[in-house]
């Protein structure tokens, strides 16, 4: 009888330690994931503040605002192509502006940093903060303005010249 009782207790303890009670780790939706230290090692302090802490650079600060060369703008953190120069326009706001992104490479999110909902734009590969989307872009195209921090981008000029 005592052996049966011991067996029942042992089975109870084993059944309580199943995977059902383990905490499941939350997997990142991004293909490239790094620690804060790893990002700090590859980004400048200003890039880190914008891309990883969602800061905003000063308007009319970055030379990409007035860049008119043909090429592609990529994420400064992971080099994912984000915007083609042919979709860039002068919005007069002081930040590089585009009426559309390369399909699938920019993620839309919502942020409430200033107390109201805004459409935040992030790199879909590494999650880096790029800027925000507004509905005051060129009416003859998409009507959207992707207002992007120049420091979140790198520009690769077309090489066919």
């Amino acid at each position: 009888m005592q052996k049966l009782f011991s067996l029942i207790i042992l089975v109870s303890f084993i059944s309580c330690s199943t995977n059902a009670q383990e905490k499941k780790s939350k997997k990142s939706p991004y293909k490239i994931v790094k620690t804060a230290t790893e990002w700090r090692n590859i980004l400048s302090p200003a890039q880190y503040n914008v891309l990883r802490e969602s800061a905003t650079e000063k308007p009319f600060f970055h030379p990409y605002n007035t860049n008119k060369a043909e090429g592609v703008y990529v994420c400064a953190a992971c080099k994912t192509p984000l915007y083609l120069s042919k979709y860039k326009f002068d919005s007069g706001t002081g930040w590089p502006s585009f009426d559309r992104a390369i399909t699938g490479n920019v993620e839309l999110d919502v942020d409430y940093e200033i107390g109201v909902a805004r459409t935040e734009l992030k790199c879909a590969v590494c999650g880096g903060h790029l800027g925000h989307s507004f509905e005051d872009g060129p009416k003859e195209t998409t009507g959207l303005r992707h207002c992007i921090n120049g420091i979140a981008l790198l520009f690769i000029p077309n090489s066919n010249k």
Side-chain angles (χ1 to χ4, degrees):
M1 181 73 164
Q2 188 175 8
K3 287 182 183 183
L4 180 61
F5 182 71
S6 297
L7 182 62
I8 291 172
I9 296 294
L10 180 63
V11 170
S12 296
F13 282 122
I14 292 172
S15 66
C16 289
S17 64
T18 65
N19 289 340
Q21 293 183 359
E22 289 180 16
K23 289 184 180 179
K24 295 187 181 188
S25 63
K26 187 176 179 183
K27 188 174 188 262
S28 173
Y30 303 110
K31 292 177 187 169
I32 296 177
V33 178
K34 296 182 184 302
T35 65
T37 301
E38 290 171 321
W39 284 122
R40 285 184 197 280
N41 287 336
I42 63 172
L43 299 171
S44 73
Q47 287 173 321
Y48 183 87
N49 285 339
V50 169
L51 285 159
R52 307 316 309 169
E53 295 182 340
S54 301
T56 300
E57 69 187 6
K58 292 184 241 177
F60 303 100
F61 164 78
H62 203 278
Y64 290 164
N65 184 46
T66 57
N67 183 25
K68 297 193 185 316
E70 292 183 19
V72 63
Y73 293 86
V74 302
C75 176
C78 70
K79 314 305 183 266
T80 296
L82 302 172
Y83 295 97
L84 299 177
S85 62
K86 68 181 180 179
Y87 298 122
K88 186 175 182 286
F89 66 96
D90 183 3
S91 65
T93 61
W95 290 280
S97 297
F98 304 85
D99 71 353
R100 70 196 81 177
I102 294 174
T103 303
N105 291 359
V106 174
E107 171 187 80
L108 279 63
D109 200 357
V110 178
D111 91 36
Y112 295 92
E113 289 291 318
I114 62 170
V116 296
R118 294 186 297 173
T119 302
E120 180 183 12
L121 301 168
K122 296 179 180 179
C123 173
V125 174
C126 72
H129 171 78
L130 304 170
H132 293 88
S133 180
F134 302 96
E135 295 182 357
D136 60 0
K139 302 258 186 265
E140 61 276 4
T141 60
T142 65
L144 297 176
R145 173 173 54 98
H146 286 206
C147 186
I148 306 299
N149 291 285
I151 203 155
L153 303 172
L154 295 175
F155 179 70
I156 301 171
N158 284 350
S159 59
N160 58 357
K161 291 190 175 185

